[in-house]
Amino acid sequence: DTEVTQTPKHLVMGMTNKKSLKCEQHMGHRAMYWYKQKAKKPPELMFVYSYEKLSINESVPSRFSPECPNSSLLNLHLHALQPEDSALYLCASSQARGFSYEQYFGPGTRLTVT
Amino acid sequence: EDQVTQSPEALRLQEGESSSLNCSYTVSGLRGLFWYRQDPGKGPEFLFTLYSAGEEKEKERLKATLTKKESFLHITAPKPEDSATYLCASFAEGYQKVTFGTGTKLQVIP
């Protein structure tokens, strides 16, 4: 099973709202990722968790706050977003150690900030 | 700075017309390349990992190859369902930080 699930599929939020995106995988992967993807652009790395610890933060604004409560779950907490934050948010997972490092992506959450 | 460049940006093929997509890279400490397929509004779907020059991998109508400077994704006798954006991505030391190319949007016309 190579499935990564994300909820919700779509989210519309105002600039003063607080919301969370959720991601889950059951492949035993110990590395999990958040990416942002704008239309007609490649995915852009935001955060990486390795063994439930934040290992990479690509200088993402503090209005995005990641959390990894356990090895299967990854959250992205959103607060006071801007319209330019509207995008497809993708979660991915991979092995953190070993030989194969391919990342498996979820279907994404389409976020619209109004 | 690491760079991954894909060409062409868009490609339109007739069904059955074989072609190749190119991914060229300048990556310090390259460990390998991924190829992904992405349908509109969906997450990328993993296709291949290539680790060393000379390596080839195949899956149905797709074959990926790797040289020291570039990778090719060959599509043999494509079908309309092969229409998608194809992304290559390099990974280097540490493995977790990948650099994506801008993709090639493939359209296969029946």
Side-chain angles (χ1 to χ4, degrees):
Chain A
D1 182 13
T2 56
E3 189 178 27
V4 177
T5 59
Q6 290 187 244
T7 55
K9 292 184 75 172
H10 301 276
L11 179 63
V12 179
M13 59 186 290
M15 290 190 283
T16 58
N17 292 158
K18 286 185 181 181
K19 296 285 185 184
S20 297
L21 309 185
K22 297 184 183 302
C23 173
E24 188 168 8
Q25 57 88 15
H26 294 288
M27 293 179 276
H29 290 165
R30 302 303 296 274
M32 296 187 76
Y33 309 76
W34 280 115
Y35 287 87
K36 172 182 178 179
Q37 187 175 27
K38 302 282 269 185
K40 300 185 181 180
K41 298 286 187 182
E44 183 182 325
L45 184 66
M46 299 174 72
F47 303 103
V48 181
Y49 274 83
S50 183
Y51 296 96
E52 295 88 70
K53 293 194 186 311
L54 185 65
S55 61
I56 296 177
N57 177 341
E58 290 290 272
S59 303
V60 178
S62 60
R63 57 186 184 267
F64 296 91
S65 176
E67 178 195 22
C68 189
N70 61 54
S71 60
S72 300
L73 293 174
L74 187 66
N75 298 321
L76 186 63
H77 303 297
L78 313 173
H79 173 55
L81 294 191
Q82 303 297 310
E84 59 264 28
D85 297 321
S86 298
L88 182 68
Y89 287 83
L90 295 163
C91 173
S93 70
S94 76
Q95 296 205 36
R97 186 180 292 178
F99 188 71
S100 296
Y101 294 91
E102 56 267 16
Q103 296 179 18
Y104 292 91
F105 284 81
T109 293
R110 173 69 60 188
L111 174 68
T112 303
V113 181
T114 62
Chain B
E1 185 181 330
D2 295 344
Q3 280 201 320
V4 178
T5 304
Q6 291 187 247
S7 62
E9 283 189 23
L11 182 61
R12 200 163 184 242
L13 298 173
Q14 291 290 327
E15 184 172 1
E17 181 187 0
S18 301
S19 188
S20 293
L21 313 183
N22 176 265
C23 171
S24 60
Y25 58 88
T26 50
V27 177
S28 177
L30 181 83
R31 296 291 180 156
L33 270 178
F34 299 128
W35 278 98
Y36 286 90
R37 168 198 170 121
Q38 187 173 24
D39 294 300
K42 298 190 177 180
E45 175 190 345
F46 172 72
L47 294 174
F48 306 109
T49 308
L50 300 166
Y51 289 99
S52 56
E55 190 174 1
E56 297 184 351
K57 287 194 177 168
E58 288 189 64
K59 180 180 180 179
E60 296 179 359
R61 296 177 291 283
L62 300 177
K63 183 166 89 171
T65 61
L66 183 65
T67 73
K68 288 187 178 178
K69 293 183 179 179
E70 55 196 347
S71 179
F72 295 93
L73 185 65
H74 307 276
I75 303 177
T76 302
K79 297 183 177 183
E81 55 262 39
D82 295 321
S83 298
T85 294
Y86 290 85
L87 294 162
C88 71
S90 66
F91 60 96
E93 296 285 346
Y95 297 94
Q96 293 172 352
K97 186 170 178 180
V98 306
T99 301
F100 277 91
T102 49
T104 293
K105 184 174 182 179
L106 174 66
Q107 184 182 17
V108 182
I109 313 295

